[in-house]
Amino acid sequence: MMNAYAPYSEFCVGAALLCADGAVYTGCNIENAGYSATNCAERTAFFKAISDGKKAFTAIAVCGGKNGKLTDALVSPCGICRQVMREFCDDDFEIYLVTESTVKTMTLGELLPVSFGPDALKQP
Ligand code: THU
C-alpha cells in the first residue's frame, strides 16, 4: 500500500499473495492517466508471482484506503481481479479483507459464484 501509484484516486491499496510453497508476493495499485490501464494491487501481486513461475496459491490479503489510511470499510477485489484469481485458483482460495480493526475471510467461490474458468474451454 505504501508503494501505491495512485495520483488520480488517491486510494492506495496493498495486497499480499500467499503461494502454496510459502512465498509471499506483494502488490500495489498502479494508476494511469488513461484510467482504464490502471492495475489493481491484487493483479499486481498475481502477475509478479506468475512471472516468477509460481502456479499454486493459498490466500490473498487486501487492504487500502484514501491516502493510505485504513478505515473499517472493506476493500473488496474488483470484478476483473476476481476473474484473474479464478484463472489460477479454485473456489476455496481464501481472500482476507483487512480493515483497520478486523479481518473478514471470504472465499473466491463466495465472491465469484457460478464462475467461468479454464475448465469451460477444455474439449469434451
Ligand atoms: N483498487 C485496487 O487496487 N484493488 C481493489 O480491490 C479495489 C480498487 C484500486 C484501483 C484504483 O487505483 C483505486 O483502487 C480506486 O479504485
Side-chain angles (χ1 to χ4, degrees):
M1 187 175 73
M2 307 306 289
N3 289 335
Y5 175 74
Y8 306 107
S9 72
E10 298 178 333
F11 195 86
C12 302
V13 184
L17 174 63
L18 176 63
C19 304
D21 66 3
V24 174
Y25 282 81
T26 59
C28 62
N29 53 328
I30 303 167
E31 296 187 346
N32 187 279
Y35 285 29
S36 60
T38 290
N39 209 62
C40 289
E42 297 92 321
R43 272 176 286 145
T44 301
F46 264 92
F47 295 156
K48 283 169 68 179
I50 297 289
S51 70
D52 258 2
K54 304 296 179 184
K55 291 193 166 50
F57 305 99
T58 305
I60 192 167
V62 186
C63 69
K66 195 85 176 169
N67 294 310
K69 182 165 173 25
L70 296 191
T71 68
D72 281 340
L74 296 176
V75 178
S76 188
C78 78
I80 294 172
C81 287
R82 293 177 196 198
Q83 187 65 37
V84 167
M85 292 176 195
R86 180 65 187 84
E87 187 65 25
F88 303 106
C89 306
D90 294 325
D91 278 351
D92 61 355
F93 178 69
E94 291 196 327
I95 300 164
Y96 306 131
L97 306 175
V98 180
T99 73
E100 189 181 23
S101 61
T102 60
V103 179
K104 182 176 174 66
T105 302
M106 300 198 69
T107 65
L108 182 57
E110 289 172 324
L111 288 182
L112 192 68
V114 199
S115 62
F116 188 86
D119 287 352
L121 298 181
K122 289 200 177 129
Q123 293 293 339

